[in-house]
């Protein structure tokens, strides 16, 4: 096991960062979230087809890159640093992992389209679902199709294919209604999905495909949270070096130094647990990987929120304005902290994995 980045991972980071620097500035993201559709379709097409991130986890035999969770984690770090409004997490990670776990010919056809960047997919589960206790939904098979309502689905607005768990199977549908909900994170909206006798294709016969994918994605979400925290720390350090008060840079004040030193230590630890989770997931969702996922989420969720809060506060008045992007990072960090299980859920799961009895 190595937590260091390989040469290939650095090259991938450079490629993604170059695209984001060119097409995903803070002003561009702010303009997006003020519009009707925050997702950036042009940016996603460049990342998906030119860089190849859409098929990163898809085997080469199906037209993908055949990469591992480590490479996906690198992409998520960069997307977190830019709060990029693209469906990589929901389509290229969560939905793709469900289809890979399914392993059927029908799933393979959809994976080929996803890898080519021709379509995007979403999974019809709440973004707040606990991966260790995901629960079910109210979708039923009747009148020759699927009928039901699923709230808080991320990525549904731009999804061409919706993967719907029903009982012990997963179905793919292309006909569904999406009603956007009010979301704290404007760069990753959630929606209520309605199915009305929707025709479907059965893509998985196993009931564990969705819980497996939720836990796998939760582990990689830690890398996005790491990217958010890194941007907040770097931006704040740069600001306090330039902002003066009483004819001195505010970064020279002892209290500010202590706060940023503590934050730096938190971010370094977050990098360690996020990288460990990404590395452990290369071998699948083993017991060691589940422990790494729970540890990464239990630590990275509060660190990302704390880093974003410090960014807003240490920027002073400008950090409270709409024009400064700090609020986008705070909202992404807050939303991520309850996505795919809150930190408390993962601490409980970690205790269970360690054999510690649950509190009475």
């Amino acid at each position: 096991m190595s937590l260091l980045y390989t040469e290939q991972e650095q090259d991938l980071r450079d490629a993604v960062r170059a695209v984001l620097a060119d097409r995903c500035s803070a002003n561009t993201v702010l303009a997006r979230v003020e519009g009707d559709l925050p997702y950036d379709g042009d940016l996603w097409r460049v990342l998906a087809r030119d860089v190849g991130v859409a098929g990163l986890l898809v085997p080469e035999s199906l037209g993908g890159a055949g990469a591992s969770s480590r490479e996906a984690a690198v992409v998520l770090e960069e997307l977190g640093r830019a709060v990029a409004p693209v469906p990589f997490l929901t389509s290229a990670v969560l939905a793709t992992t469900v289809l890979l776990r399914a392993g059927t010919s029908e799933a393979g056809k959809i994976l080929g389209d996803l890898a080519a960047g021709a379509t995007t997919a979403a999974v019809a589960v709440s973004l707040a679902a606990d991966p260790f206790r995901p629960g079910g939904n109210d979708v039923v098979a009747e009148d020759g199709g699927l009928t039901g309502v699923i709230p808080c689905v991320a990525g549904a607005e731009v999804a061409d294919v919706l993967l719907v768990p029903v009982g012990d199977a997963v179905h793919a549908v292309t006909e569904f209604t999406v009603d956007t909900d009010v979301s704290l994170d404007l760069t990753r909206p959630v929606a209520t999905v309605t199915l009305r006798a929707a025709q479907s294709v059965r893509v998985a016969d196993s009931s564990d495909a969705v819980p497996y994918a939720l836990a796998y994605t939760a582990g990689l979400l830690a890398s996005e949270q790491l990217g958010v925290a890194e941007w907040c720390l770097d931006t704040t350090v740069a600001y306090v070096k330039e902002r003066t008060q009483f004819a001195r840079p505010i970064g020279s004040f002892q209290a500010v130094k202590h706060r940023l030193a503590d934050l730096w230590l938190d971010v370094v630890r977050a990098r360690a647990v996020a990288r460990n989770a990404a590395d452990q997931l290369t071998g699948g969702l083993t017991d060691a990987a589940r422990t790494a996922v729970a540890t990464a989420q239990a630590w990275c969720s509060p660190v990302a929120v704390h880093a974003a809060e410090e960014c807003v506060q240490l920027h002073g008045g400008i950090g409270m304005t709409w024009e400064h992007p700090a609020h986008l990072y705070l909202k992404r960090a807050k939303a991520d902290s309850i996505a795919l299980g809150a930190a408390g859920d993962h601490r409980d799961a970690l205790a269970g994995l360690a054999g510690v009895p649950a509190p009475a």
Side-chain angles (χ1 to χ4, degrees):
M1 181 184 70
S2 173
L3 303 186
L4 300 178
Y5 298 96
T6 66
E7 183 179 350
Q8 291 78 11
E9 289 166 358
Q10 290 288 12
D11 290 342
L12 176 60
R13 180 194 302 281
D14 292 341
V16 173
R17 183 173 292 189
V19 171
L20 294 176
D22 183 50
R23 295 174 172 266
C24 192
S25 66
N27 289 336
T28 301
V29 177
L30 280 169
R32 277 278 167 192
V33 301
E34 290 171 345
D36 296 329
L37 185 62
Y39 284 115
D40 191 335
D42 292 336
L43 173 61
W44 176 240
R45 279 187 286 274
V46 173
L47 289 171
R49 299 175 184 177
D50 296 349
V51 183
V53 302
L56 208 57
L57 297 175
V58 179
E60 293 182 13
S61 60
L62 296 175
S68 71
S69 51
R70 290 176 60 105
E71 288 78 16
V74 169
V75 174
L76 280 166
E77 284 182 39
E78 292 307 309
L79 296 180
R81 289 183 68 95
V83 285
V86 294
F88 178 78
L89 183 77
T90 53
S91 180
V93 178
L94 180 56
T96 295
T97 306
V98 170
L99 295 169
L100 289 171
R101 188 68 174 172
T104 61
S105 58
E106 291 78 8
K109 295 175 184 177
I110 300 174
L111 283 170
D113 291 337
L114 293 180
T119 62
T120 58
V123 182
V125 296
S126 169
L127 183 62
D130 181 348
F132 297 99
R133 293 180 293 274
N137 57 36
D138 297 327
V139 177
V140 296
E142 61 181 19
D143 300 329
L146 302 181
T147 299
V149 178
I150 310 100
C152 198
V153 179
E157 291 176 295
V158 290
D160 302 296
V161 179
L162 191 70
L163 304 179
V164 186
V166 183
D168 291 338
V170 179
H171 296 255
V173 301
T174 56
E175 298 177 359
F176 50 92
T177 302
V178 176
D179 296 307
T180 304
D181 299 326
V182 176
S183 174
L184 175 64
D185 182 5
L186 302 176
T187 62
R188 181 177 285 148
V190 294
T192 297
V193 175
T194 303
L195 304 173
R196 298 184 178 88
Q199 298 301 305
S200 66
V201 176
R202 194 182 184 104
V203 296
D205 298 320
S206 172
S207 60
D208 78 331
V210 171
Y212 182 99
L214 289 173
Y216 185 96
T217 306
L220 293 183
L221 179 63
S223 292
E224 177 179 287
Q225 292 165 325
L226 169 63
V228 169
E230 287 179 332
W231 183 93
C232 292
L233 175 61
D234 293 345
T235 303
T236 305
V237 169
Y239 178 76
V240 300
K241 289 179 180 179
E242 298 176 354
R243 176 72 168 90
T244 59
Q245 190 73 31
F246 307 113
R248 292 175 56 190
I250 63 174
S252 65
F253 300 149
Q254 196 74 359
V256 175
K257 288 181 179 180
H258 285 176
R259 288 172 68 170
L260 290 176
D262 289 342
L263 182 57
W264 180 83
L265 287 173
D266 287 345
V267 173
V268 169
R269 294 171 186 136
R271 185 180 301 113
V273 293
R275 289 295 296 167
N276 180 55
D279 185 74
Q280 290 288 346
L281 287 170
T282 58
L285 202 59
T286 61
D287 288 344
R290 289 180 183 274
T291 300
V293 167
T295 303
Q297 273 300 309
W299 181 260
C300 291
S301 286
V303 166
V305 173
H306 176 55
E309 289 173 342
E310 290 287 71
C311 181
V312 170
Q313 292 175 16
L314 290 176
H315 272 79
I318 191 174
M320 305 291 178
T321 64
W322 178 265
E323 291 75 18
H324 195 280
H327 67 92
L328 295 176
Y329 290 85
L330 178 59
K331 292 168 183 174
R332 172 66 69 90
K334 287 281 191 180
D336 279 358
S337 70
I338 59 172
L340 303 176
D345 297 324
H346 288 277
R347 284 193 292 270
D348 291 343
L350 190 59
L353 290 167
V356 177

